[in-house]
Amino acid sequence: MLKLIVKLHPEIAIKSKSVRKRFTQVLERNIKIILRRFDENVRVKNNWDNISVESQSTDETIHALFIDNLKRVPGIVQFIEVQETPFDTLDDIYQRTLELAGHSIENKTFCVRVKRKGEHAFTSSDVERYVGGGLNQNVSGAKVKLSKPEVTVKIEIKGALAYIVTHTHYGIAGFPLPTQEDVLSLISGGFDSGVATYQMMRKGARTHFLFFNLGGAAHEIGVKQVSHYLWNRFSSTHKVKFITVDFEPVVAEILENVENGQMGVVLKRMMIRAGSQVAERLNIPALVTGESIGQVSSQTLVNLNVIDRVTETLIIRPLIQHDKAEIINIARDIGTIEMAEAMPEYCGVISKKPTVKAKLDTIIAEEAKFDFDVLDTVIKNATVKDIRDIEAEAKEEVKEAESVSQLPENGVILDIRAPDEEDASPLEVDNVEVVHLPFFRLSTKFADLPQDKEYYLYCKKGVMSQLQALILHENGFMNVKVYKPE
């Protein structure tokens, strides 16, 4: 048998009576949904100041699943594993505590802490002294220490029952899902957007996913993996949507028409425009991004202000004051770090010298060159799926195009850098043909090249080359690899 007592998050306990009742009822329901996946007979009871969980199963595997899953339910700050025992005398409590906790204090300093509710002929301090004295005398090497002991033996007494705490477990705190309004998270698969999404889930907001695809099938698979993982781990009590918008045409339009230094801000404004329209269509009142002040050029206060001007939709930035190291640590804690490390930052490869102090009139002038029919089309063609339906797709392997550092004699280097970058640093390789074709024209111009040759895509960091090679593979051009000089 397993008995757990779930403690309420302090912020729930101080709510008004009606709000506290609603929050605890939602939490009780979520706990039932999660735990009945492993034991359909589990008993979950709302006791106002806590929620008790009882399972008659003796299967240790089920016990471990209960504990692991409760640690990830929003709204749970702490839960204790207890052994319930009836008692008539203080000695009954002591004997049961010795049996259950004696081994944990051998050769260690300890103290006994008691919480008591009900009418009794003794106080909490009486129990602490009686049980503590008995353990001190009868456990080898144990020594009472009231300040900063190595072990704290915890006992809770309610009426004629004593609960000896055998383990204390910690949850992610926050509020139960969905006690807050829905939000739409702009998910890229990197560190920031994944952590921002998690932060909103633990705050009790049902969090849907909006993905702007800049990198073809490989990018989409990677983002689906992160999104499904986050939902399944922290939010699976409720259905959410996964929306994909093919943003490659938007990026191509920006690259063709917008001045280089303004591209990053314009791209973010296009994403916010699209996100706002998708959110309005789905009746979601807020967008969530992983932006943090000063982390990249588009995230200065000046630039964020200019970006926000395109919409009246609320934009939530949970990580706005976080350092990158803090964000990475959270990603490690929640289990997204390896997926994030494998995900290139596609947004960061389009602008060579991005502005850090964008001027609204300049940005508006640059956007006047943009064909907004392109944006309208990609929004209209957005795909909306139930997050549960992408599980199989998320399990697909993220592909990677072959990279080489040595070229065959008949190979052709395709320099896909933007023209100004290529002019500033021309690529010269002895005895190898070099063709210049900017990456934003590859989709329309590559088919015009002689297809009896092998092409090796080149860019400075290799990110865009890898991305474009995979897109060409998807379109049936298998004579493409990536050139990464040593």
Side-chain angles (χ1 to χ4, degrees), residues 255-290:
L255 290 164
E256 287 277 14
N257 298 293
V258 175
E259 191 272 322
N260 188 283
Q262 315 301 322
M263 287 179 179
V265 172
V266 170
L267 176 60
K268 288 294 180 70
R269 281 167 58 95
M270 295 299 173
M271 288 179 170
I272 295 299
R273 282 189 175 97
S276 297
Q277 292 188 43
V278 172
E280 183 177 4
R281 185 189 305 172
L282 300 175
N283 197 29
I284 297 173
L287 302 177
V288 176
T289 78

Side-chain angles (χ1 to χ4, degrees), residues 251-435:
V251 173
E253 182 71 13
I254 290 173
L255 290 164
E256 287 277 14
N257 298 293
V258 175
E259 191 272 322
N260 188 283
Q262 315 301 322
M263 287 179 179
V265 172
V266 170
L267 176 60
K268 288 294 180 70
R269 281 167 58 95
M270 295 299 173
M271 288 179 170
I272 295 299
R273 282 189 175 97
S276 297
Q277 292 188 43
V278 172
E280 183 177 4
R281 185 189 305 172
L282 300 175
N283 197 29
I284 297 173
L287 302 177
V288 176
T289 78
E291 290 160 321
S292 172
I293 291 176
Q295 191 175 118
V296 297
S297 61
S298 65
Q299 296 174 21
T300 62
L301 288 177
V302 172
N303 285 358
L304 291 174
N305 180 36
V306 171
I307 290 167
D308 286 2
R309 298 294 184 92
V310 299
T311 184
E312 293 183 0
T313 304
L314 174 65
I315 301 175
I316 302 173
R317 296 182 170 97
L319 309 183
I320 196 65
Q321 55 77 42
H322 281 56
D323 295 332
K324 192 68 175 185
E326 294 174 315
I327 296 169
I328 292 174
N329 286 337
I330 297 173
R332 181 178 293 106
D333 291 340
I334 65 177
T336 60
I337 187 167
E338 291 185 1
M339 290 179 280
E341 286 175 336
M343 187 65 59
E345 290 289 345
Y346 294 107
C347 292
V349 297
I350 74 164
S351 187
K352 185 179 178 183
K353 293 182 178 179
T355 181
V356 295
K357 291 186 177 181
K359 295 181 179 180
L360 183 59
D361 55 351
T362 301
I363 294 296
I364 291 174
E366 289 298 320
E367 288 181 345
K369 308 171 187 176
F370 185 92
D371 182 0
F372 278 88
D373 286 342
V374 174
L375 183 65
D376 293 339
T377 299
V378 299
I379 296 171
K380 180 181 178 180
N381 294 333
T383 61
V384 181
K385 294 185 177 182
D386 188 312
I387 190 72
R388 297 171 299 178
D389 295 337
I390 71 168
E391 181 175 8
E393 300 167 35
K395 291 180 179 178
E396 294 181 28
E397 183 178 354
V398 179
K399 298 177 182 178
E400 185 169 323
E402 182 182 349
S403 297
V404 301
S405 58
Q406 301 294 327
L407 298 172
E409 292 183 3
N410 61 342
V412 178
I413 295 177
L414 212 52
D415 188 342
I416 65 170
R417 294 175 296 170
D420 58 347
E421 185 180 0
E422 184 256 310
D423 289 341
S425 179
L427 176 67
E428 297 180 1
V429 181
D430 293 338
N431 303 318
V432 177
E433 181 183 0
V434 178
V435 175

Side-chain angles (χ1 to χ4, degrees), residues 212-227:
F212 295 110
N213 192 340
L214 308 178
H219 189 195
E220 185 167 0
I221 291 170
V223 174
K224 284 179 175 177
Q225 288 174 348
V226 175
S227 302

Side-chain angles (χ1 to χ4, degrees), residues 54 68 71 89 96 121 198 219 235-236 240 256 314 346 357 366 410 457 471 479:
E54 292 186 20
D68 179 58
K71 288 179 178 179
T89 67
R96 186 62 169 149
Y198 159 76
H219 189 195
S235 179
S236 66
V240 301
E256 287 277 14
L314 174 65
Y346 294 107
K357 291 186 177 181
E366 289 298 320
N410 61 342
L457 306 191
I471 292 174
N479 56 333

Side-chain angles (χ1 to χ4, degrees), residues 80-83 101 153-156 163-168:
I80 55 176
E81 197 172 339
V82 300
Q83 290 289 334
V153 178
K154 298 178 181 179
I155 303 171
E156 298 192 7
Y163 300 91
I164 290 84
V165 179
T166 56
H167 294 92
T168 299

Side-chain angles (χ1 to χ4, degrees), residues 437-477:
L437 184 61
F439 63 91
F440 49 87
R441 294 199 179 101
L442 272 176
S443 60
T444 56
K445 299 296 183 180
F446 184 82
D448 297 336
L449 299 174
Q451 294 302 308
D452 58 346
K453 298 183 178 181
E454 292 286 330
Y455 293 94
Y456 297 83
L457 306 191
Y458 170 79
C459 66
K460 184 176 180 181
K461 295 181 179 180
V463 174
M464 185 58 74
S465 298
Q466 184 66 228
L467 161 62
Q468 294 297 330
L470 290 173
I471 292 174
L472 289 171
H473 289 176
E474 292 169 24
N475 291 318
F477 299 105

Side-chain angles (χ1 to χ4, degrees), residues 169-188:
H169 306 280
Y170 296 93
I172 62 174
F175 294 138
L177 279 163
T179 53
Q180 311 301 313
E181 290 83 357
D182 287 16
V183 297
L184 183 61
S185 180
L186 278 56
I187 187 84
S188 68

